[in-house]
Short mmCIF file of all heavy atoms in Angstrom, two decimals:
data_model
loop_
_atom_site.label_atom_id
_atom_site.label_comp_id
_atom_site.label_asym_id
_atom_site.label_seq_id
_atom_site.Cartn_x
_atom_site.Cartn_y
_atom_site.Cartn_z
N ASP A 1 -8.59 0.75 -5.68
CA ASP A 1 -9.81 1.37 -4.99
C ASP A 1 -10.90 0.33 -5.17
O ASP A 1 -11.50 0.12 -6.23
CB ASP A 1 -10.22 2.72 -5.68
CG ASP A 1 -11.25 3.41 -4.96
OD1 ASP A 1 -11.97 2.75 -4.22
OD2 ASP A 1 -11.53 4.55 -5.23
N LEU A 2 -11.31 -0.37 -4.08
CA LEU A 2 -12.34 -1.41 -4.15
C LEU A 2 -13.72 -0.84 -4.37
O LEU A 2 -14.72 -1.52 -4.69
CB LEU A 2 -12.33 -2.27 -2.93
CG LEU A 2 -11.01 -2.99 -2.67
CD1 LEU A 2 -11.02 -3.89 -1.38
CD2 LEU A 2 -10.68 -3.93 -3.81
N GLY A 3 -13.83 0.41 -4.17
CA GLY A 3 -15.08 1.08 -4.48
C GLY A 3 -15.29 1.38 -6.00
O GLY A 3 -16.37 1.74 -6.36
N LYS A 4 -14.20 1.28 -6.67
CA LYS A 4 -14.19 1.44 -8.09
C LYS A 4 -13.46 0.35 -8.81
O LYS A 4 -12.37 0.53 -9.28
CB LYS A 4 -13.54 2.81 -8.46
CG LYS A 4 -14.22 3.96 -7.85
CD LYS A 4 -13.45 5.35 -8.16
CE LYS A 4 -14.04 6.46 -7.54
NZ LYS A 4 -13.29 7.74 -7.82
N PRO A 5 -14.04 -0.91 -8.80
CA PRO A 5 -13.31 -2.09 -9.24
C PRO A 5 -12.84 -2.02 -10.65
O PRO A 5 -11.81 -2.60 -10.92
CB PRO A 5 -14.37 -3.16 -9.10
CG PRO A 5 -15.34 -2.77 -8.00
CD PRO A 5 -15.38 -1.16 -8.29
N GLU A 6 -13.45 -1.20 -11.52
CA GLU A 6 -13.05 -1.07 -12.87
C GLU A 6 -11.89 -0.07 -13.04
O GLU A 6 -11.22 -0.02 -14.05
CB GLU A 6 -14.09 -0.63 -13.76
CG GLU A 6 -15.37 -1.49 -13.76
CD GLU A 6 -15.05 -2.96 -14.15
OE1 GLU A 6 -14.23 -3.12 -15.05
OE2 GLU A 6 -15.79 -3.84 -13.58
N ALA A 7 -11.55 0.67 -11.99
CA ALA A 7 -10.51 1.69 -12.02
C ALA A 7 -9.09 0.95 -12.19
O ALA A 7 -8.94 -0.10 -11.63
CB ALA A 7 -10.48 2.58 -10.86
N ALA A 8 -8.22 1.57 -12.76
CA ALA A 8 -6.82 1.02 -12.81
C ALA A 8 -6.12 1.26 -11.54
O ALA A 8 -6.27 2.25 -10.87
CB ALA A 8 -5.98 1.70 -13.98
N PRO A 9 -5.33 0.20 -11.12
CA PRO A 9 -4.63 0.30 -9.89
C PRO A 9 -3.46 1.38 -10.04
O PRO A 9 -3.01 1.64 -11.16
CB PRO A 9 -4.00 -1.10 -9.67
CG PRO A 9 -3.95 -1.64 -11.08
CD PRO A 9 -5.14 -1.07 -11.83
N VAL A 10 -2.96 1.89 -8.91
CA VAL A 10 -1.93 2.82 -8.94
C VAL A 10 -0.61 2.31 -8.29
O VAL A 10 -0.70 1.62 -7.18
CB VAL A 10 -2.40 4.10 -8.15
CG1 VAL A 10 -1.29 5.13 -8.07
CG2 VAL A 10 -3.62 4.66 -8.76
N ALA A 11 0.52 2.41 -8.98
CA ALA A 11 1.71 1.90 -8.49
C ALA A 11 2.17 2.79 -7.26
O ALA A 11 2.00 4.00 -7.24
CB ALA A 11 2.86 1.91 -9.53
N LEU A 12 2.76 2.09 -6.25
CA LEU A 12 3.08 2.79 -5.14
C LEU A 12 4.69 2.90 -5.03
O LEU A 12 5.33 2.00 -5.20
CB LEU A 12 2.63 2.06 -3.80
CG LEU A 12 1.24 1.87 -3.61
CD1 LEU A 12 0.90 1.04 -2.44
CD2 LEU A 12 0.56 3.24 -3.41
N ASP A 13 5.24 4.12 -4.82
CA ASP A 13 6.65 4.38 -4.77
C ASP A 13 6.91 4.80 -3.37
O ASP A 13 6.66 5.81 -2.93
CB ASP A 13 6.99 5.46 -5.80
CG ASP A 13 8.46 5.70 -5.75
OD1 ASP A 13 9.22 4.99 -5.05
OD2 ASP A 13 8.99 6.73 -6.42
N PHE A 14 7.52 3.76 -2.60
CA PHE A 14 7.88 4.09 -1.28
C PHE A 14 9.23 4.81 -1.08
O PHE A 14 9.62 5.26 0.00
CB PHE A 14 7.84 2.74 -0.39
CG PHE A 14 6.64 2.08 -0.53
CD1 PHE A 14 6.60 0.67 -0.94
CD2 PHE A 14 5.43 2.57 0.03
CE1 PHE A 14 5.41 -0.04 -0.99
CE2 PHE A 14 4.26 1.84 0.02
CZ PHE A 14 4.23 0.52 -0.49
N GLY A 15 9.96 4.79 -2.07
CA GLY A 15 11.32 5.35 -2.09
C GLY A 15 12.26 4.42 -1.58
O GLY A 15 13.55 4.60 -1.69
N ILE A 16 11.94 3.26 -0.91
CA ILE A 16 12.84 2.24 -0.50
C ILE A 16 12.16 0.90 -0.84
O ILE A 16 10.98 0.78 -0.90
CB ILE A 16 13.11 2.28 1.03
CG1 ILE A 16 11.92 2.31 1.84
CG2 ILE A 16 14.01 3.50 1.35
CD1 ILE A 16 12.15 2.28 3.37
N LYS A 17 13.00 -0.14 -1.00
CA LYS A 17 12.39 -1.42 -1.27
C LYS A 17 11.57 -1.88 -0.05
O LYS A 17 11.97 -1.77 1.12
CB LYS A 17 13.62 -2.51 -1.45
CG LYS A 17 13.22 -3.78 -1.95
CD LYS A 17 14.38 -4.65 -2.31
CE LYS A 17 13.99 -6.05 -2.72
NZ LYS A 17 15.21 -6.93 -2.98
N ALA A 18 10.43 -2.51 -0.39
CA ALA A 18 9.45 -2.95 0.63
C ALA A 18 9.00 -4.30 0.50
O ALA A 18 9.16 -4.87 -0.57
CB ALA A 18 8.32 -1.96 0.64
N SER A 19 8.52 -4.92 1.68
CA SER A 19 7.88 -6.19 1.62
C SER A 19 6.88 -6.32 2.75
O SER A 19 6.85 -5.50 3.71
CB SER A 19 8.90 -7.29 1.73
OG SER A 19 9.48 -7.30 3.10
N ASP A 20 6.01 -7.28 2.63
CA ASP A 20 4.99 -7.55 3.74
C ASP A 20 4.08 -6.38 4.13
O ASP A 20 3.94 -6.06 5.34
CB ASP A 20 5.71 -8.16 4.92
CG ASP A 20 6.54 -9.28 4.67
OD1 ASP A 20 6.01 -10.42 4.55
OD2 ASP A 20 7.77 -9.25 4.47
N PRO A 21 3.51 -5.69 3.22
CA PRO A 21 2.71 -4.49 3.60
C PRO A 21 1.31 -4.80 4.25
O PRO A 21 0.75 -5.90 3.82
CB PRO A 21 2.48 -3.83 2.25
CG PRO A 21 2.51 -4.90 1.25
CD PRO A 21 3.58 -5.89 1.70
N VAL A 22 0.90 -4.17 5.22
CA VAL A 22 -0.34 -4.35 5.81
C VAL A 22 -0.86 -2.93 6.35
O VAL A 22 -0.07 -2.05 6.59
CB VAL A 22 -0.33 -5.24 7.15
CG1 VAL A 22 0.08 -6.67 6.73
CG2 VAL A 22 0.60 -4.78 8.13
N PHE A 23 -2.18 -2.86 6.34
CA PHE A 23 -2.71 -1.51 6.87
C PHE A 23 -2.86 -1.58 8.34
O PHE A 23 -3.21 -2.59 9.00
CB PHE A 23 -4.14 -1.38 6.20
CG PHE A 23 -4.16 -0.87 4.84
CD1 PHE A 23 -4.22 -1.81 3.78
CD2 PHE A 23 -4.12 0.38 4.53
CE1 PHE A 23 -4.27 -1.33 2.47
CE2 PHE A 23 -4.04 0.92 3.17
CZ PHE A 23 -4.10 0.03 2.16
N GLY A 24 -2.61 -0.38 8.94
CA GLY A 24 -2.82 -0.30 10.37
C GLY A 24 -4.15 0.29 10.69
O GLY A 24 -4.94 0.82 9.76
N ALA A 25 -4.55 0.43 11.93
CA ALA A 25 -5.81 1.01 12.31
C ALA A 25 -5.84 2.46 11.96
O ALA A 25 -6.97 3.10 11.78
CB ALA A 25 -6.00 0.90 13.83
N ASP A 26 -4.69 3.18 11.85
CA ASP A 26 -4.62 4.62 11.52
C ASP A 26 -4.74 4.78 9.91
O ASP A 26 -4.69 5.88 9.48
CB ASP A 26 -3.34 5.19 11.97
CG ASP A 26 -2.11 4.47 11.35
OD1 ASP A 26 -2.27 3.54 10.57
OD2 ASP A 26 -0.98 4.76 11.83
N GLY A 27 -5.02 3.78 9.20
CA GLY A 27 -5.19 3.77 7.73
C GLY A 27 -3.86 3.92 6.99
O GLY A 27 -3.77 3.86 5.73
N GLN A 28 -2.69 3.91 7.70
CA GLN A 28 -1.46 3.98 7.02
C GLN A 28 -0.97 2.60 6.64
O GLN A 28 -1.52 1.64 7.24
CB GLN A 28 -0.43 4.70 7.91
CG GLN A 28 -0.71 6.18 8.21
CD GLN A 28 0.52 6.99 8.51
OE1 GLN A 28 1.54 6.83 7.82
NE2 GLN A 28 0.32 7.89 9.50
N LEU A 29 -0.03 2.53 5.74
CA LEU A 29 0.51 1.29 5.26
C LEU A 29 1.85 0.98 5.96
O LEU A 29 2.75 1.84 5.90
CB LEU A 29 0.69 1.20 3.82
CG LEU A 29 0.90 -0.14 3.08
CD1 LEU A 29 -0.38 -0.98 3.27
CD2 LEU A 29 1.39 -0.04 1.72
N TYR A 30 1.86 -0.22 6.63
CA TYR A 30 3.13 -0.57 7.35
C TYR A 30 3.77 -1.67 6.56
O TYR A 30 3.11 -2.51 5.94
CB TYR A 30 2.78 -1.14 8.76
CG TYR A 30 2.27 -0.04 9.71
CD1 TYR A 30 1.05 0.51 9.55
CD2 TYR A 30 2.96 0.30 10.88
CE1 TYR A 30 0.53 1.44 10.41
CE2 TYR A 30 2.55 1.26 11.72
CZ TYR A 30 1.21 1.82 11.57
OH TYR A 30 0.76 2.77 12.47
N PHE A 31 5.15 -1.58 6.50
CA PHE A 31 5.87 -2.65 5.75
C PHE A 31 7.25 -2.84 6.34
O PHE A 31 7.74 -2.08 7.07
CB PHE A 31 5.94 -2.20 4.33
CG PHE A 31 6.64 -0.88 4.05
CD1 PHE A 31 8.03 -0.82 3.78
CD2 PHE A 31 5.92 0.31 3.95
CE1 PHE A 31 8.69 0.39 3.58
CE2 PHE A 31 6.63 1.57 3.79
CZ PHE A 31 7.93 1.53 3.55
N LEU A 32 7.94 -3.86 5.80
CA LEU A 32 9.25 -4.27 6.18
C LEU A 32 10.18 -3.71 5.05
O LEU A 32 9.91 -3.72 3.88
CB LEU A 32 9.47 -5.74 6.34
CG LEU A 32 9.03 -6.40 7.59
CD1 LEU A 32 9.35 -8.00 7.51
CD2 LEU A 32 9.89 -5.86 8.84
N SER A 33 11.37 -3.31 5.61
CA SER A 33 12.48 -2.92 4.59
C SER A 33 13.83 -2.95 5.31
O SER A 33 13.98 -2.52 6.37
CB SER A 33 12.20 -1.50 4.01
OG SER A 33 13.25 -1.23 3.12
#
């Protein structure tokens, strides 16, 4: 959370192995797997 730089990051569990993540205009995260 860039609005709270001191906060700890949160691990993301996609349920499948992922690579090359990017945000879309819809706010969702797109990735390859």
Side-chain angles (χ1 to χ4, degrees):
D1 186 344
L2 297 181
K4 301 175 182 177
E6 304 299 329
V10 176
L12 299 174
D13 182 4
F14 302 121
I16 54 176
K17 187 177 180 180
S19 68
D20 304 277
V22 296
F23 282 95
D26 56 5
Q28 297 203 42
L29 194 71
Y30 292 67
F31 60 90
L32 280 178
S33 180

